[in-house]
Amino acid sequence: MKQCTTIDSVRQARASYGKVGFVPTMGFLHEGHLSLVRRARAENDAVIVSIFVNPIQFGPNEDFESYPRDRERDLAMLAKEGVDLVFTPEASEFYPPDFATEIVVKGVANRLEGASRPGHFSGVATVVTKLFNIVQPQRAYFGQKDAQQCAVIRRFVEDLNIPVAITIVPTGREEDGLASSSRNVRLSAKERALAPGLYKALLGTRILFQSGERDRVILEARLKELLRQNDIPQPDYAVIVDPRTFEAVNPVTDNALALLAVPFSTVRLIDNLPLGME
Ligand code: AMP
């Protein structure tokens, strides 16, 4: 497995590959990330993974400094998966002092997670656009866990005619149902014990949907009630939305998502579940 830290060296190595599948990450890898890597491995001639804790997608009071990092462990995990190249950019080259461009997505990027974290999706759209231009993959893989991020990426890839096929991979979960996340290690023992309640609340809401309920207000009330019953802190949002626009849907359609964000003391967790999925 090759490791590149400069943009030129990635471009040079990439020139010798055929069809490239690309998995952008912020590292501190877990099984969720590896499911993206395995899918990319199965569908492409070569697999490129980037590890970059992207400073411009963190707000001033967010956890950029404390975001967990373990480069050696990440590299060992990726080597085992048969990854061809890992790109670990230096922030100083990626964002030189005179860097002045930002990709701003409107509509879907302004709602929910975008409203809670101003500037977050612009930071994501900008880094992903740069990475696509550097890596020039045929396909790129993203996780359903970050459902609104997926919708934002699909939006600007389509709007800007970026020639990369986007594949969304289902959410990987721990045995107790908690969505795998690099941030889970920062939960206290008590919070970690409560956190599977997010998934339980999503599953319970889906059961009500499957029983025939299509009224958004009733489904959202159920979601919030189940969060309370599971002793989950007050959510930033707990809603039923359209998976492309992230606007409220009523009546609730088969492709709708139950979606939530919950601030625990030091970590903000997000999760979602497509209601029509078996
Ligand atoms: P991150 O390192 O958190 O920026 O995530 C990198 C990629 O992995 C993104 O496309 C995420 O949506 C995806 N991802 C993160 N957690 C999971 C998970 N539990 N299951 C599937 N994909 C995930």
Side-chain angles (χ1 to χ4, degrees), residues 24-27 30 32-33 35-36 67 141-146 149 169-173 179-182:
T25 81
M26 299 203 298
H30 50 68
H33 293 115
S35 65
L36 273 58
Y67 194 85
Y141 296 81
F142 295 90
Q144 172 68 27
K145 151 119 188 320
D146 299 282
Q149 170 171 284
V169 178
T171 301
R173 298 184 181 279
S180 303
S181 166
S182 307

Side-chain angles (χ1 to χ4, degrees), residues 185-246:
V185 293
R186 293 183 33 231
L187 293 165
S188 70
K190 185 164 172 253
E191 289 169 333
R192 178 63 189 81
L194 288 176
L198 269 62
Y199 186 51
K200 286 188 200 148
L202 292 167
L203 285 175
T205 306
R206 188 169 73 184
I207 287 170
L208 183 58
F209 176 84
Q210 286 169 338
S211 76
E213 183 58 63
R214 292 295 181 272
D215 185 322
R216 177 179 58 83
V217 175
I218 293 175
L219 287 162
E220 285 183 357
R222 179 74 179 140
L223 178 57
K224 290 183 179 121
E225 176 194 325
L226 287 167
L227 289 170
R228 272 193 303 275
Q229 280 177 14
N230 283 285
D231 292 324
I232 299 298
Q234 180 71 21
D236 281 350
Y237 55 80
V239 290
I240 314 292
V241 295
D242 176 277
R244 276 169 47 92
T245 64
F246 282 70

Side-chain angles (χ1 to χ4, degrees), residues 6-278:
T6 67
I7 293 166
D8 271 352
S9 60
V10 176
R11 286 192 193 285
Q12 231 169 50
R14 194 264 171 268
S16 67
Y17 299 144
K19 286 213 184 316
V20 166
F22 176 46
V23 182
T25 81
M26 299 203 298
F28 210 71
L29 302 176
H30 50 68
E31 278 295 315
H33 293 115
L34 295 186
S35 65
L36 273 58
V37 170
R38 287 174 193 142
R39 182 82 179 265
R41 180 70 280 166
E43 297 180 352
N44 299 278
D45 300 324
V47 177
I48 299 182
V49 176
S50 62
I51 301 175
F52 182 51
V53 184
N54 174 37
I56 68 167
Q57 73 185 67
F58 289 80
N61 298 317
E62 292 184 1
D63 58 350
F64 173 70
E65 296 297 339
S66 60
Y67 194 85
R69 293 161 168 90
D70 189 342
R71 183 60 53 78
E72 291 314 309
R73 179 168 153 275
D74 288 347
L75 293 175
M77 287 167 82
L78 294 175
K80 243 174 100 182
E81 298 297 330
V83 167
D84 296 273
L85 188 155
V86 181
F87 179 30
T88 54
E90 292 294 342
S92 55
E93 186 195 23
F94 207 82
Y95 296 123
D98 54 355
F99 187 83
T101 302
E102 190 182 11
I103 306 285
V104 178
V105 182
K106 291 184 276 195
V108 60
N110 289 331
R111 301 179 190 120
L112 299 167
E113 204 57 11
S116 293
R117 304 182 65 188
H120 170 66
F121 284 130
S122 298
V124 169
T126 304
V127 75
V128 170
T129 302
K130 276 176 70 76
L131 288 167
F132 281 1
N133 284 333
I134 295 163
V135 172
Q136 302 201 8
Q138 271 70 25
R139 298 196 186 92
Y141 296 81
F142 295 90
Q144 172 68 27
K145 151 119 188 320
D146 299 282
Q148 197 175 356
Q149 170 171 284
C150 293
V152 169
I153 288 167
R154 282 199 192 282
R155 186 71 266 144
F156 75 77
V157 163
E158 187 178 331
D159 289 350
L160 302 179
N161 309 100
I162 298 177
V164 178
I166 305 299
T167 297
I168 311 298
V169 178
T171 301
R173 298 184 181 279
E174 306 299 319
E175 276 185 13
D176 56 13
L178 174 64
S180 303
S181 166
S182 307
R183 289 185 169 103
N184 289 348
V185 293
R186 293 183 33 231
L187 293 165
S188 70
K190 185 164 172 253
E191 289 169 333
R192 178 63 189 81
L194 288 176
L198 269 62
Y199 186 51
K200 286 188 200 148
L202 292 167
L203 285 175
T205 306
R206 188 169 73 184
I207 287 170
L208 183 58
F209 176 84
Q210 286 169 338
S211 76
E213 183 58 63
R214 292 295 181 272
D215 185 322
R216 177 179 58 83
V217 175
I218 293 175
L219 287 162
E220 285 183 357
R222 179 74 179 140
L223 178 57
K224 290 183 179 121
E225 176 194 325
L226 287 167
L227 289 170
R228 272 193 303 275
Q229 280 177 14
N230 283 285
D231 292 324
I232 299 298
Q234 180 71 21
D236 281 350
Y237 55 80
V239 290
I240 314 292
V241 295
D242 176 277
R244 276 169 47 92
T245 64
F246 282 70
E247 287 180 304
V249 273
N250 210 20
V252 175
T253 46
D254 277 352
N255 63 349
L257 288 181
L259 182 83
L260 47 78
V262 174
F264 283 82
S265 57
T266 54
V267 193
R268 191 165 167 284
L269 296 185
I270 59 171
D271 200 352
N272 70 86
L273 195 67
L275 288 175
M277 201 179 77
E278 275 314 304

